[in-house]
Amino acid sequence: MAAAAVVLGVVAAATITIVLTTRPMMPAAPGSAATARPGDVPATGTQPGTTPQPGTTPQPGAAPGRPGTTRPGTRPPVIDHGPRTGNLVALTFDADMTEAMRYRLRSGQVRSYANLRVIELLEREQVPATFFLTGMWVEEYPDLTRRIAGNPRFELANHTYRHAAFTGDCHGLPQLPATAMVSDVAQTFAVIGPYGGRQTRYFRFPGLCHDGAALAALAPIGLTVVGGDVISGDPFAVAWEPIVTAVLSTVRPGSVIVLHVTEANAAMTDEALPHILAGLRQRGLAPAALSQVLAGR
């Protein structure tokens, strides 16, 4: 059921046209550095790193490099949460884009799959977050991707190129041929890489759907698969309250919270986010970059 919530917005996008009143795109503006707060991790440069970022620990079988890097040829580890100690949690935002979504966007049926209010709130409140980007979303929103990459509190991760399924039964998503899995994920890293910022080798399957064959197929790439233990259910929610309840009722230290930044498919996320942040503070939990939350595993 948790996996079904993640992909509800994507599956419905193939059959439902949603018209929303959205805010216009704002010009790209690099995030400004601010005084560090608990849960922050220093930013890295725009060139690939040769050592792990401060506060991170390589995953089992890892080779030195960006967070999430593993030795090519080894089966990727699958992680749903960090250590259950301390008070850190990871806010992660998926930026989905399928062929059907791109058609709706370009044809004017949908005005935006980029929720600027989410980005602006995170910037204003200086909240660390990790964005799992599809390659096609990046291509549709290069200026916003540049803005995200320019914020030292944000990390960039991989959510495939076209958000196709990696298994035969993944909630109605079109299936990606096994022979195309490596190239799809590698293409996304290639699309995201030039934007610099805090690049990672974290990867999230569409719908969180995977099996042994999919993991084996991705072994040559040298990455870490990240799911999540807190599924917000924000795709196509018609009110913000259930999203907040879903998050705050299950969040624990080390949790990886799955949210979306695809506005037309997750219109209530920006309404829910302030309440989620307030609830985390009341519970003594602090958002941090995914690499920091997973440190020590």
Side-chain angles (χ1 to χ4, degrees):
M1 292 295 294
V6 179
V7 298
L8 179 58
V10 174
V11 174
T15 57
I16 300 176
T17 299
I18 303 245
V19 179
L20 298 174
T21 300
T22 57
R23 282 69 58 189
M25 287 290 294
M26 296 177 60
S32 56
T35 303
R37 306 187 312 161
D40 293 344
V41 179
T44 61
T46 59
Q47 299 302 318
T50 56
T51 59
Q53 292 180 1
T56 68
T57 300
Q59 301 303 324
R66 296 169 178 170
T69 299
T70 56
R71 189 173 296 109
T74 60
R75 179 174 168 140
V78 181
I79 297 175
D80 288 327
H81 59 81
R84 296 304 191 183
T85 57
N87 70 331
L88 301 183
V89 298
L91 290 172
T92 69
F93 295 86
D94 290 358
D96 303 347
M97 184 67 69
T98 65
E99 296 283 359
M101 291 168 67
R102 183 166 66 177
Y103 173 79
R104 284 171 166 74
L105 183 65
R106 293 183 175 183
S107 65
Q109 297 178 45
V110 167
R111 291 186 58 186
S112 174
Y113 285 115
N115 196 326
L116 285 177
R117 286 190 177 181
V118 168
I119 307 298
E120 291 165 355
L121 176 59
L122 295 172
E123 291 173 338
R124 185 168 61 251
E125 299 294 329
Q126 302 178 13
V127 178
T130 302
F131 292 83
F132 282 84
L133 307 175
T134 56
M136 289 203 309
W137 189 93
V138 171
E139 291 172 348
E140 294 299 317
Y141 296 104
D143 289 343
L144 187 54
T145 302
R146 191 169 296 108
R147 177 173 172 173
I148 292 170
N151 190 315
R153 300 179 190 277
F154 295 162
E155 288 182 326
L156 284 69
N158 189 318
H159 196 38
T160 74
Y161 181 75
R162 58 181 55 82
H163 207 265
F166 280 62
T167 62
D169 182 15
C170 189
H171 315 284
L173 287 173
Q175 186 177 0
L176 191 69
T179 55
M181 291 179 181
V182 169
S183 61
D184 181 276
V185 177
Q187 181 179 4
T188 306
F189 279 126
V191 169
I192 299 172
Y195 288 88
R198 296 180 60 183
Q199 300 278 333
T200 73
R201 299 292 289 186
Y202 294 131
F203 170 77
R204 177 171 284 158
F205 285 104
L208 306 183
C209 301
H210 66 274
D211 55 19
L215 293 173
L218 297 184
I221 304 181
L223 51 74
T224 295
V225 174
V226 178
D229 65 319
V230 178
I231 309 301
S232 69
D234 59 342
F236 286 93
V238 297
W240 59 264
E241 292 89 348
I243 302 171
V244 176
T245 299
V247 172
L248 298 183
S249 64
T250 54
V251 69
R252 300 168 55 191
S255 281
V256 175
I257 303 169
V258 181
L259 292 155
H260 291 75
V261 73
T262 45
E263 183 177 23
N265 283 1
M268 294 290 106
T269 307
D270 57 65
E271 299 289 342
L273 187 55
H275 302 279
I276 291 173
L277 295 176
L280 293 177
R281 286 192 294 267
Q282 291 172 0
R283 288 160 174 76
L285 299 173
L290 180 61
S291 60
Q292 188 173 2
V293 173
L294 299 185
R297 285 192 61 94

